[in-house]
């Protein structure tokens, strides 16, 4: 179930029965009603051939946004160096910044 105008990012994953009311950033896995971020789609990344270094960088970026209690602006500043080094992290960061509805947290 996805509300109109919600954006679902590249390589993200929604569990069965998830009720999506906000944007889902790239690579993020959501579940529940209402949908909440649970993790990242690491298995999908491995299957698509993402490097272990890129996956680890995305794991760190996810923790910055979802586990450190930072505002979105603070998290974006924290990820700047990693986003410059890994295009996958830049995609994740850009999908968070592009959200007009807010991200699923």
């Amino acid at each position: 179930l996805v509300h109109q105008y919600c954006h679902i990012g590249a390589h993200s994953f929604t569990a069965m029965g998830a009720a999506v009311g906000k944007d889902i950033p790239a690579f993020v896995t959501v579940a529940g009603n209402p949908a909440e971020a649970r993790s990242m789609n690491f298995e999908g990344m491995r299957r698509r051939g993402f490097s272990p270094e890129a996956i680890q960088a995305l794991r760190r970026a996810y923790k910055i946004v979802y586990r450190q209690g930072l505002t979105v602006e603070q998290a974006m500043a924290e990820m700047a160096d990693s986003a410059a080094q890994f295009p996958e992290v830049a995609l994740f960061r850009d999908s968070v910044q592009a959200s007009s509805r807010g991200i699923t947290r």
Side-chain angles (χ1 to χ4, degrees), residues 33-96:
N33 184 0
E36 295 179 357
R38 303 291 185 186
S39 183
M40 288 191 123
N41 186 10
F42 297 117
E43 184 58 34
M45 288 183 248
R46 281 189 284 277
R47 289 179 183 174
R48 289 180 183 97
F50 285 76
S51 71
E53 295 80 16
I55 293 172
Q56 189 61 31
L58 282 164
R59 187 181 307 275
R60 286 189 301 271
Y62 179 87
K63 287 180 181 181
I64 289 169
V65 173
Y66 288 96
R67 301 289 186 242
Q68 291 185 358
L70 302 174
T71 65
V72 172
E73 293 78 20
Q74 291 169 331
M76 296 303 103
E78 187 84 18
M79 283 191 294
D81 291 339
S82 184
Q85 186 177 7
F86 294 97
E88 298 86 357
V89 175
L91 175 61
F92 173 66
R93 182 201 60 202
D94 293 346
S95 69
V96 172

Side-chain angles (χ1 to χ4, degrees), residues 1-17:
L1 176 65
V2 180
H3 191 274
Q4 65 182 356
Y5 307 117
C6 286
H7 179 76
I8 299 175
H11 309 285
S12 62
F13 182 86
T14 59
M16 184 189 296

